[in-house]
Amino acid sequence: MQPADERFWAALLRAQDLPQLADLVSRPSWMAKGACRDHPEVSFFPVRGESTGAPAKAVCRSCSVRAECYAYAVEHEERGIWGGTSERERRQLTRRSAAS
Ligand code: SF4
């Protein structure tokens, strides 16, 4: 399941969170081009201590919308693998960018 799809269904199951659901319905068009859509067997939300997210990052390396995905994840403080990076890696990159 792709990151956007997982978020969509999670929000749908919490129907009381309608503002978030509305946000997901109007998701950016680049999400439809994500390479992750062709790899439903790969988890983009590794469980802490159980995975490095390496399989997901390998899929991201061939993705044509990697830059858009990374920027979206930073802006929305997403969890999991987005744009070929983990949440921790995005925080580190953001801190380094702010410091330079
Ligand atoms: S960069 Fe990775 S997570 Fe983002 S759309 Fe592409 S394959 Fe999916």
Side-chain angles (χ1 to χ4, degrees), residues 4-6 8-9 16 25 31-32 39 41 43-44 47 49 54 59 68-69 72 84 86 88 90-92 95-96:
D5 289 341
E6 287 193 22
F8 177 84
W9 289 112
Q16 74 276 9
V25 168
M31 286 186 178
H39 295 276
E41 76 285 4
S43 173
F44 287 77
V47 176
V59 173
E68 293 91 335
C69 182
Y72 182 92
S86 67
R88 176 186 288 183
R90 287 190 298 277
R91 278 197 309 266
Q92 291 171 341
R95 261 188 255 124
R96 277 188 218 142

Side-chain angles (χ1 to χ4, degrees), residues 28-97:
S29 59
W30 60 260
M31 286 186 178
K33 300 175 186 170
C36 48
R37 298 186 68 81
D38 298 328
H39 295 276
E41 76 285 4
V42 176
S43 173
F44 287 77
F45 296 93
V47 176
R48 183 177 293 215
E50 289 186 0
S51 170
T52 62
K57 290 176 182 177
V59 173
C60 293
R61 277 195 288 277
S62 67
C63 183
S64 65
V65 291
R66 188 173 174 179
E68 293 91 335
C69 182
Y70 177 84
Y72 182 92
V74 169
E75 181 181 348
H76 293 87
E77 299 180 349
E78 295 289 354
R79 294 181 178 267
I81 306 299
W82 290 71
T85 60
S86 67
E87 186 180 358
R88 176 186 288 183
E89 290 166 335
R90 287 190 298 277
R91 278 197 309 266
Q92 291 171 341
L93 289 167
T94 300
R95 261 188 255 124
R96 277 188 218 142
S97 175

